[in-house]
Amino acid sequence: MNRTTHDRGRDRDEEGRARSARPRDGLGRPLPYGAEGVPRQPEGVVRDPAATLREAQRLLDAGMPFHAHEVFEDAWKSGPEAERDLWQGLAQLAVGLTHAARGNAAGGARLLRRGADRLAAAGAGVGAGAFRPGAPGSGSPVPGPYGIDVGGLVSWARELAGRTEGTERTEGGAGDGAVRPAVVDAAAEAPRLRRNAS
């Protein structure tokens, strides 16, 4: 990354596009120059769906949902048009979890619900194994495309959105007893993208 004087010190990538070179924390927040951050996800990586889901799950489990969102973004930009809503819905869930973990309750809840709606609609229309409320006689959901647990993710997102909008009374440190939005632990709340995936 380069900084140039004619653009007031804005960071630029090798092709001249504005892109911050500041290090980032696990939730994607910029840190001061020189601080140690986490490695950024490379942009524009083309992965097959299984590799996308593996990498995104690894990042979610590590408490890095912002970075998982970037993996899903690569999938929607490089994948077939028919799957765009599927990958965008997953990206919105990851960004919703990011905002919830940053303490942005309203934004987190809104993105979690938007992602759940998009994922539910996409899962119902993508591929032969699309999510349906239950297979006849089985009483269980049919896995979505690529084994994605569409129903489980939709339920997880809507439940977390409701909890995120809840509040907690502060004690101790602030000592003021003020009501603040609940902040979630991104790693502890990481969803399982696939059914029966470890």
Side-chain angles (χ1 to χ4, degrees):
M1 300 265 172
N2 301 316
R3 300 181 103 195
T4 59
T5 54
H6 71 277
D7 63 6
R8 296 190 192 114
R10 288 188 79 182
D11 297 326
R12 300 278 175 183
D13 66 13
E14 290 73 28
E15 285 134 25
R17 292 181 304 229
R19 181 157 187 232
S20 177
R22 288 173 60 181
R24 305 233 172 211
D25 70 6
L27 292 174
R29 293 176 288 217
L31 300 170
Y33 286 103
E36 188 170 333
V38 299
R40 295 179 89 151
Q41 282 299 117
E43 291 184 24
V45 176
V46 178
R47 300 173 183 89
D48 65 33
T52 295
L53 293 166
R54 274 192 309 275
E55 180 63 5
Q57 188 69 68
R58 182 188 72 76
L59 293 164
L60 288 166
D61 291 345
M64 298 170 55
F66 178 81
H67 297 77
H69 138 268
E70 291 177 337
V71 171
F72 291 133
E73 187 174 293
D74 285 341
W76 100 54
K77 289 180 177 179
S78 66
E81 179 67 29
E83 294 179 6
R84 176 180 289 256
D85 283 343
L86 172 73
W87 299 114
Q88 284 181 337
L90 290 167
Q92 287 175 318
L93 296 185
V95 174
L97 178 55
T98 299
H99 282 279
R102 290 177 178 174
N104 177 1
R110 187 171 35 257
L111 280 162
L112 286 163
R113 287 190 179 103
R114 191 179 303 153
D117 291 346
R118 179 169 274 171
L119 187 59
V126 175
F131 175 79
R132 292 182 297 281
S138 72
S140 63
V142 175
Y146 311 114
I148 296 170
D149 185 5
V150 173
L153 288 167
V154 168
S155 296
W156 166 84
R158 290 183 176 146
E159 188 272 331
L160 181 58
R163 278 193 294 120
T164 298
E165 289 175 321
T167 57
E168 58 185 20
R169 190 162 300 281
T170 60
E171 309 272 338
D176 59 5
V179 175
R180 307 236 192 300
V183 177
V184 302
D185 178 328
E189 295 291 346
R192 303 310 308 158
L193 298 174
R194 293 176 164 175
R195 294 189 68 140
N196 303 321
S198 54

